[in-house]
Amino acid sequence: MSLRCIALALALLTSAAADAAPRVSLVRVAGGMTSPLSYVALPDGRALIVDQPGFVRLLAKPGQLRDTPVLDLTSRLSTLNHGAFDERGVLSLALHPKFQKNRRVFIAYTAPRRASAPADGDCTLRISEFTAGATEPFVIDPATEKVRLEIDKPYANHNGGRMAFGPDGHLYIGVGDGGNGNDEGKRPDSGNGQNLDTLLGKILRIDVETPEGHGIPKGNPFADGKKARPEIWAYGIRNPWGLSFDRGGDHALYSADVGQTMWEEVNVIQKGGNHGWRLREGFIGFNPKSPEKPPVEIPQKGLLGESFVDPVAVYKNRNGFKKDPEAYGISVTGGFVYRGKALTELKGDYVFGDWGRIWGVPGGTLLVARRPKSGKGQWAVEPLELGTPSKVASYIVGFGEDNDGELYVLTNGNIGLTPGKGEVWKIVPVTP
Ligand SMILES: [Ca+2]
């Protein structure tokens, strides 16, 4: 073997080793916001960015965030804790699959508690449709709002409110378990995740082609409404933060599920599936009286006698596994299956992150769940090693995907709704 061949072989070996911990860099494309929760590409390549305190902003091109918001929803939101941690606000935006023709936009936000809601509740999660104007400058007129679905929230946290249109043209919505902790609700024994009479703690599927409100798509697992609310697509969910369809492969629906104390999860959502919460957290049982002490006996069946759908990937939560190097953080932020071209070593893997390693210290972790080569079994979770910058110095609050399948990470340098440190970064290859 010539020296050149040996050098080449060494280079190949090195690149194979580097494969185990892929390196990416981040390029800042927008800043100066508060808490950017959604990045949604328009068909023309521009992007809409949802800023949690009540705005939809237009990113004309990298670095060019238009000053005037596309839509200002501040007057329609429930009261927010400005300057402090708050999970309420504008939570996500999804374009109708035929947006280019019909200009229909769907937005999830927390509205003030509606009149019919229990008096001790906090707010009402509202899914509304708006129509974007067809001329420039691009605007969405708040007067076009059409409410499609409302869900009363007992507490301020665990709203979910992440949405995605499926290949079937229906709108999928992740809804949190109602909030507080341990899925205790405000009524005795009302663990919402397992209760099929509430939309809390569920993944929903609705038909938005009805003149008003919403319809129940044919094929919803409880469409007749006899055993369960007919909007339910899957249940046993705690706080689905990140909901996305794989644009390639089998077009499966992915949802992260924020754990309570021990395990953070990524799920491939199954029609009619019981994803476990609060009977299970990850693969183990859950004890609502003492979450750090899971029961020895792991529940094997839900209340209908059904088996659970296991997560496809999990990692340890630092609250339950203190000082464990594989406890990457305390709250999963869902992302996307990577189907772009630039990051070849991530193709088909699920790129996501953790919000922050320690409460109060900005510093999220980018993660990748590696699709098993056999197509079956657990996906291995590992940190996505960073080139430039060398670490994420902010909380990771969301992810976005552009028309080419390239991904964006959405960050907030503050723990909550303090303006100025909300940024959007494109994930790019490390340039040698
Ligand atoms: Ca689960």
Side-chain angles (χ1 to χ4, degrees), residues 258-264 281 292 314-332 354-361 363-365 367:
V258 178
Q260 161 101 25
T261 306
M262 307 299 288
W263 291 95
E264 299 297 317
E281 186 182 22
E292 68 287 354
V314 295
Y315 64 91
K316 294 167 183 165
N317 180 311
R318 277 175 63 99
N319 291 324
F321 294 89
K322 292 184 174 63
K323 293 183 181 164
D324 187 321
E326 289 184 352
Y328 299 125
I330 55 176
S331 184
V332 65
D354 187 275
W355 176 74
R357 289 174 64 77
I358 301 163
W359 181 270
V361 180
T365 303
L367 298 167

Side-chain angles (χ1 to χ4, degrees), residues 167-393:
D168 54 14
H170 295 309
L171 184 62
Y172 292 73
I173 307 156
V175 186
D177 66 8
N180 204 21
N182 305 325
D183 191 12
E184 284 179 324
K186 280 193 170 166
R187 312 283 175 274
D189 301 323
S190 65
N192 288 317
Q194 297 294 322
N195 179 353
L196 296 173
D197 292 330
T198 171
L199 300 184
L200 297 169
K202 308 293 181 319
I203 306 292
L204 313 179
R205 182 174 84 150
I206 62 170
D207 174 359
V208 292
E209 303 309 321
T210 53
E212 48 190 51
H214 61 273
I216 303 303
K218 278 197 190 111
N220 266 21
F222 306 105
D224 65 7
K226 286 179 186 160
K227 262 200 266 181
R229 295 284 297 271
E231 291 89 352
I232 296 172
W233 182 253
Y235 57 105
I237 307 285
R238 184 174 181 273
N239 189 18
W241 194 246
L243 189 73
S244 64
F245 279 91
D246 182 355
R247 64 165 59 194
D250 58 2
H251 305 293
L253 176 59
Y254 289 75
S255 181
D257 198 7
V258 178
Q260 161 101 25
T261 306
M262 307 299 288
W263 291 95
E264 299 297 317
E265 302 183 6
V266 175
N267 292 280
V268 172
I269 298 298
Q270 302 295 325
K271 172 183 172 179
N274 183 346
H275 289 264
W277 178 252
R278 71 172 180 182
L279 294 172
R280 284 186 170 199
E281 186 182 22
F283 288 91
I284 63 174
F286 179 75
N287 174 5
K289 300 258 180 301
S290 187
E292 68 287 354
K293 291 189 190 117
V296 176
E297 203 152 316
I298 300 170
Q300 299 299 320
K301 301 276 180 198
L303 303 177
L304 304 172
E306 77 282 33
S307 298
F308 296 111
V309 180
D310 287 329
V312 294
V314 295
Y315 64 91
K316 294 167 183 165
N317 180 311
R318 277 175 63 99
N319 291 324
F321 294 89
K322 292 184 174 63
K323 293 183 181 164
D324 187 321
E326 289 184 352
Y328 299 125
I330 55 176
S331 184
V332 65
T333 298
F336 292 83
V337 172
Y338 181 73
R339 297 290 179 188
K341 289 204 175 81
L343 307 165
T344 46
E345 73 275 26
L346 294 178
K347 264 199 182 151
D349 293 338
Y350 183 76
V351 175
F352 66 117
D354 187 275
W355 176 74
R357 289 174 64 77
I358 301 163
W359 181 270
V361 180
T365 303
L366 274 177
L367 298 167
V368 57
R370 298 290 210 163
R371 186 184 294 268
K373 294 266 186 291
S374 68
K376 291 200 172 117
Q378 279 294 291
W379 299 36
V381 175
E382 59 188 80
L384 203 47
E385 198 195 323
L386 275 174
T388 314
S390 61
K391 61 175 185 173
V392 177

